[in-house]
Amino acid sequence: MTRSDTYSRPLVLLHWLVFVAAALAVAAIEIKGFFPKGSPERAQMAVWHESFGLAVLLLMTLRLAVRASTGVPPLPPGPRWMETSARAMHWLLYLLMLAMPVLGVLAVAWSGKPVPFFGASWMLPLTVDAPLGRSLKNIHEAGANLVFAAVGLHAAAALWHQFVLKDGLLRRMS
């Protein structure tokens, strides 16, 4: 595989940084549930979840900028439906990795709470609208299921290429 058949080093790094930040956001919100309501540990897990969620948003914005400037390698030859599916899945993942943090930030802000980011926090200039904040939180939580499904399909497709088709597709991310 030639260098032109692989993603640029910055895109590979950003891919895995987004994955790690998203995984840590999920881990924090799952761990939060082990602590009693009102406890400082539970509050800290929420802060970590929100901070890593914002990190996903920042990293994805950078990733899309780098992608636009460096391009991506061509897909390997294959059936048209696989190419269409691959492109659709990538754009769905990009959309979700941008939309989920935005929904989370807006849910927090419209609930009248400051938006935390690794020790800093700020209030967005939005009028408090608790019902809207709760609605966005519910959409954000429901969207998590879509993220899990999309990431699962993405990983399954990568494994299919690696172990069934044996077409070296995973080397594009090396």
Side-chain angles (χ1 to χ4, degrees):
M1 193 163 269
T2 67
R3 193 70 212 143
S4 65
D5 292 333
T6 61
Y7 282 90
S8 68
R9 293 271 183 229
L11 279 176
V12 171
L13 177 63
L14 286 165
H15 172 274
W16 292 110
L17 287 174
V18 167
F19 171 77
V20 168
L24 290 170
V26 169
I29 205 65
E30 292 300 323
I31 292 168
K32 175 186 167 202
F34 289 108
F35 296 107
K37 288 185 178 184
S39 70
E41 296 86 1
R42 187 178 179 98
Q44 184 59 54
M45 288 299 109
V47 167
W48 282 113
H49 172 74
E50 293 158 3
S51 295
F52 283 116
L54 269 176
V56 168
L57 180 61
L58 295 172
L59 289 166
M60 274 306 300
T61 302
L62 180 58
R63 182 176 174 183
L64 288 172
V66 171
R67 185 184 199 277
S69 68
T70 64
V72 296
L75 289 169
R80 179 109 173 121
W81 70 268
M82 286 177 76
E83 179 181 326
T84 302
S85 297
R87 290 186 198 288
M89 179 56 72
H90 278 100
W91 286 108
L92 175 62
L93 285 166
Y94 295 155
L95 174 67
L96 290 170
M97 291 296 112
L98 293 170
M100 290 297 288
V102 168
L103 287 169
V105 165
L106 291 175
V108 168
W110 268 314
S111 295
K113 299 173 193 165
V115 177
F117 186 66
F118 298 112
S121 65
W122 72 96
M123 294 294 292
L124 294 183
L126 300 173
T127 303
V128 173
D129 186 338
L132 180 57
R134 280 191 299 280
S135 294
L136 289 177
K137 181 181 180 197
N138 291 336
I139 294 168
H140 176 77
E141 289 173 357
N145 294 321
L146 187 54
V147 171
F148 293 145
V151 169
L153 286 171
H154 178 67
L159 294 172
W160 177 265
H161 278 275
Q162 182 68 21
F163 298 111
V164 177
L165 298 179
K166 299 180 181 178
D167 60 6
L169 188 77
L170 282 181
R171 287 190 302 240
R172 290 164 37 101
M173 280 305 262
S174 61

